[in-house]
Amino acid sequence: CDRSLLGAKECPAAMPRQPERTLRWSEFVAEFVPDGLVEPPPGVSSSRPPRKVVTIPCGLRVDLDESPPPLAGLYVRGHLHVVDGVDITLNTGFVYVCGVFSAGTPLKAHYSDLRVVLSGKTSTVAEAGIDYGSKTFATFGGLTYLRGAACPQAW
């Protein structure tokens, strides 16, 4: 996974390698999820199509600049950075980070709302010999960095 913030320069051999580059969420979906994020089953029209598991590959930074449709799960093997200036809701069955998941930086706090909603019953995570179960936000060998604005004093 991408450990550039931790000092490592290369992805492990088992991770798919991509050239280092940055895409906005919509560009990432268009290139890496060619069928789109929601697809109705053949012959069935439903207001609730099945959700997909999405993987951000090693070597790729994706700037989350809009709330995606509900996902079955999200693997962050590269870098998912939540853009400030827009409120984001990430509704997913699980989040598994072995790359970088960030909102804010050491020099600048993230001021917009970020909501991670873990939902669903069937999406589970089993990685590196560990069964994390469902509705999991797990960081294993990666970095989750969240720096928000200070709360105002209410007294």
Side-chain angles (χ1 to χ4, degrees):
C1 296
D2 179 3
R3 298 187 183 163
S4 60
L5 295 181
L6 303 176
K9 297 293 182 194
E10 291 189 26
C11 301
M15 294 295 156
R17 295 171 188 263
Q18 300 288 336
E20 287 290 333
R21 61 191 180 136
T22 300
L23 297 174
R24 290 189 338 253
W25 179 259
S26 59
E27 295 168 331
F28 163 73
V29 170
E31 185 171 338
F32 287 85
V33 190
D35 295 334
L37 286 178
V38 293
E39 58 184 32
V44 176
S45 63
S46 171
S47 61
R48 299 184 71 196
R51 304 191 292 177
K52 289 190 175 182
V53 174
V54 173
T55 300
I56 297 175
C58 186
L60 184 67
R61 173 182 159 144
V62 175
D63 287 341
L64 187 59
D65 58 349
E66 61 185 81
S67 295
L71 305 173
L74 177 63
Y75 288 98
V76 182
R77 300 187 190 288
H79 185 165
L80 180 66
H81 177 73
V82 181
V83 174
D84 203 6
V86 61
D87 294 342
I88 300 288
T89 298
L90 177 60
N91 187 325
T92 182
F94 64 84
V95 178
Y96 182 82
V97 180
C98 64
V100 178
F101 183 106
S102 66
T105 69
L107 300 176
K108 185 174 183 295
H110 183 91
Y111 289 94
S112 301
D113 287 345
L114 168 61
R115 291 184 176 90
V116 178
V117 179
L118 300 172
S119 61
K121 296 178 184 176
T122 58
S123 296
T124 61
V125 179
E127 289 282 328
I130 301 169
D131 182 359
Y132 294 95
S134 63
K135 298 181 190 166
T136 298
F137 191 120
T139 302
F140 186 80
L143 174 68
T144 297
Y145 184 87
L146 305 173
R147 179 175 177 227
C151 296
Q153 276 189 309
W155 37 43

